[in-house]
Amino acid sequence: MFKNITIAIDGTAASGKGTLARSLSKEFNFAYLDTGKLYRASAVIIKKADINYENIKDIKKVIRNYDFSKFDFLNNSLKSDEISKLASMISGYKELREILLEYQKYFSNKKHGDKIGVILDGRDIGTIVLPEADIKFFVTASLSIRAERRWKELISLGQSTIKRRVEKDIRDRDVRDSQRKHSPLVAALDAILLDTTNLDANESFLLAKRYVEERLN
Ligand code: DC
């Protein structure tokens, strides 16, 4: 029976986990799912449906019936400060997490053409979504370097924002993501820790690539 090789990448906001996941998936021919985008997309859908973010009953109803394959995941609004904050707030709901977990499991077990496996990045991949993952990374970096990276990204997307505010939003998000009751952000005990504070994207990639090569051989 076919079995995907699974790689779980978790980490703090703007730590570089998405860039790393994308590069590794290209290098080793894996299918890639950015699970943060599911939470961000949920935030956009809730906002469009004009539902109060505290109304979990209605959130559940609208998200359960939503066909995520129709969502435009390339939309720049997913990255906005407002959606980042809303996504972090609604991600505390167990009911929402359960719905999105089903989709993540479905994606992980499915065969994706000629891909040899799947890479998922997020906050609870190595602990909840893929506790049996073949390889796990936990990526982090100092708050100031993460704020700098996210600020540059937002500016490049044409969104006007100030660095201090980006830093505060990231700090608040880290606190919410790691202190929530359900599936908090935490490194799995068997995760490889990658601190990218002093590494650029390519250096982080080369380091992680060596670990993947070692485990695949
Ligand atoms: O990775 P990101 O910054 O795009 O994620 C946006 C928010 O979604 C994040 O603040 C917390 C939530 N999230 C989560 O709770 N679990 C995941 N696996 C991925 C994201």
Side-chain angles (χ1 to χ4, degrees):
M1 199 185 94
F2 170 80
K3 160 130 180 32
N4 275 317
I5 300 170
T6 49
I7 302 185
I9 305 184
D10 290 302
T12 46
S15 58
K17 59 187 185 324
T19 307
L20 178 65
R22 254 190 313 277
S23 315
L24 288 176
S25 59
K26 274 201 197 118
E27 178 74 16
F28 294 100
N29 197 28
F30 278 78
Y32 166 49
L33 179 64
D34 172 351
T35 67
K37 282 199 171 167
L38 297 175
Y39 290 87
R40 288 173 185 270
S42 303
V44 171
I45 295 160
I46 289 163
K47 193 176 162 228
K48 274 202 185 136
D50 208 15
I51 297 170
N52 183 318
Y53 77 90
E54 287 176 342
N55 183 347
I56 183 59
K57 243 180 150 182
D58 282 0
I59 291 179
K60 217 172 120 178
K61 222 185 283 164
V62 71
I63 300 298
R64 160 117 8 250
N65 294 321
Y66 195 83
D67 177 1
F68 280 95
S69 65
K70 293 214 175 89
F71 193 86
D72 172 20
F73 285 103
L74 296 175
N75 191 321
N76 279 347
S77 74
L78 282 185
K79 287 269 175 192
S80 74
D81 291 342
E82 187 195 2
I83 293 301
S84 301
K85 194 170 170 187
L86 189 53
S88 171
M89 291 194 300
I90 60 171
S91 68
Y93 292 129
K94 183 167 169 267
E95 294 89 340
L96 174 70
R97 302 200 71 85
E98 282 167 358
I99 298 171
L100 298 182
L101 179 62
E102 267 176 45
Y103 180 78
Q104 294 169 75
K105 293 242 186 226
Y106 162 75
F107 181 92
S108 306
N109 293 325
K110 182 173 155 359
K111 173 139 180 47
H112 299 267
D114 66 345
K115 307 286 181 202
I116 63 165
V118 295
I119 299 185
L120 272 66
D121 82 22
R123 301 291 187 292
D124 61 341
I125 311 302
T127 50
I128 306 286
V129 183
L130 297 172
E132 309 293 331
D134 298 292
I135 309 173
K136 298 180 186 177
F137 290 105
F138 190 84
V139 189
T140 189
S142 72
L143 176 64
S144 64
I145 200 88
R146 288 186 287 130
E148 170 94 20
R149 288 174 190 162
R150 179 53 54 91
W151 175 72
K152 281 188 181 152
E153 186 186 14
L154 290 171
I155 295 293
S156 76
L157 293 174
Q159 297 185 15
S160 75
T161 182
I162 51 169
K163 215 186 287 179
R164 226 167 345 120
R165 176 137 157 251
V166 175
E167 183 165 320
K168 183 184 179 306
D169 285 351
I170 290 183
R171 190 187 312 116
D172 291 349
R173 214 137 69 81
D174 281 351
V175 171
R176 255 196 315 271
D177 294 347
S178 22
Q179 296 188 352
R180 68 177 176 230
K181 189 165 159 218
H182 307 291
S183 311
L185 166 69
V186 59
L189 291 175
D190 51 349
I192 299 159
L193 301 182
L194 281 185
D195 183 340
T196 68
T197 305
N198 298 308
L199 303 178
D200 65 20
N202 191 47
E203 289 166 332
S204 309
F205 163 65
L206 292 176
L207 184 61
K209 181 175 170 241
R210 277 210 299 275
Y211 283 113
V212 176
E213 280 165 348
E214 259 170 40
R215 303 272 175 106
L216 290 184
N217 288 330

